[in-house]
Amino acid sequence: IADSTILRQFAEHLSAIVLVDNPDASGPYESLLSDGFQGGYMAAQHVLSLGHRRLGFFLAEEDTATFRDRLHGWTCAQFDAGIVPNPTHVI
């Protein structure tokens, strides 16, 4: 969720603000939200289609929803391909 104090400071200097992966709870700003699950799923599916079977995942920010969503998609793609993901491959 976007910080309203920071948004007000930006709004003093900008005519338009569009947030990316940060919805505005107060409402006046548009936001674009990525589909982290589908992105993680498609990335893993692509690598699997190339014949790779040992996939790794770098989880840069554990507490960030989009990273968790990507990890979930990555995990599901492997299960759907009949592969049990190795938790030690998540760094």
Side-chain angles (χ1 to χ4, degrees):
I1 305 292
D3 184 312
S4 59
T5 303
I6 293 172
L7 284 173
R8 279 194 300 277
Q9 291 173 347
F10 274 110
E12 292 174 11
H13 304 284
L14 301 169
S15 59
I17 296 173
V18 177
L19 305 171
V20 177
D21 284 337
N22 257 323
D24 174 25
S26 63
Y29 303 106
E30 295 292 330
S31 61
L32 300 170
L33 302 175
S34 64
D35 183 348
F37 175 87
Q38 188 66 21
Y41 188 95
M42 290 175 68
Q45 198 174 43
H46 174 71
V47 173
L48 290 165
S49 77
L50 297 174
H52 300 284
R53 293 295 175 259
R54 291 180 0 147
L55 280 63
F57 190 92
F58 178 70
L59 185 60
E61 298 177 25
E62 249 181 281
D63 296 330
T64 302
T66 52
F67 283 99
R68 285 192 316 267
D69 291 345
R70 290 176 193 151
L71 175 61
H72 187 207
W74 173 86
T75 302
C76 288
Q78 290 178 82
F79 277 120
D80 286 351
I83 298 167
V84 176
N86 186 335
T88 65
H89 293 167
V90 178
I91 301 169

